[in-house]
Amino acid sequence: MTKVRTVLAMRTREGCEQRFEAEWLSAAEEISTLDGCLHQDLVRDADDPRSYLIISDWADRERLDAFGRSEHRDRLLRMIRELRESAHRYTYQVLHSVRSEEPR
């Protein structure tokens, strides 16, 4: 099994940024309880407050794909889809990770 990372680039509709963030957080909290979901981040472009990346790590491609085909996913992400202007998804195999030491 190889860990996978998804990167979902999204641009929100104008004026929907705060609601998008709140809806993502609500969905992410529930998704985090699913088998195979390891980590999720929502990051916003420092120069374009309507552009976001949703970064998710999954234990393997099989569990990610199972979530991607589920009604559970459709229900959780319905509101996010209504708030976005565009979306592009990329999936990567994580080959190596190097952790930094904790700051002193």
Side-chain angles (χ1 to χ4, degrees), residues 9-76:
M10 286 194 174
R11 183 162 172 79
T12 64
R13 296 182 190 280
E14 192 168 346
C16 294
E17 300 86 354
Q18 288 183 338
R19 188 164 169 219
F20 173 83
E21 292 174 26
E23 293 291 342
W24 177 85
L25 186 57
S26 177
E29 287 174 350
E30 193 168 335
I31 293 168
S32 72
T33 67
L34 299 177
D35 180 45
C37 182
L38 304 175
H39 184 84
Q40 300 173 86
D41 287 312
L42 176 66
V43 297
R44 182 177 53 220
D45 188 306
D47 297 318
D48 180 1
R50 291 178 51 207
S51 292
Y52 294 86
L53 294 178
I54 298 172
I55 304 162
S56 302
D57 287 347
W58 289 79
D60 54 55
R61 183 68 186 253
E62 292 74 25
R63 287 184 268 191
L64 168 64
D65 289 346
F67 170 67
R69 293 186 303 268
S70 70
E71 290 181 23
H72 192 94
R73 176 190 169 274
D74 289 340
R75 180 182 57 80
L76 287 172

Side-chain angles (χ1 to χ4, degrees), residues 23 32 38 52 55 65 77 81 85 88 93 96 98-99:
E23 293 291 342
S32 72
L38 304 175
Y52 294 86
I55 304 162
D65 289 346
L77 300 179
R81 283 192 296 272
E85 187 174 276
H88 303 280
Q93 292 179 334
H96 305 284
V98 178
R99 295 196 183 275

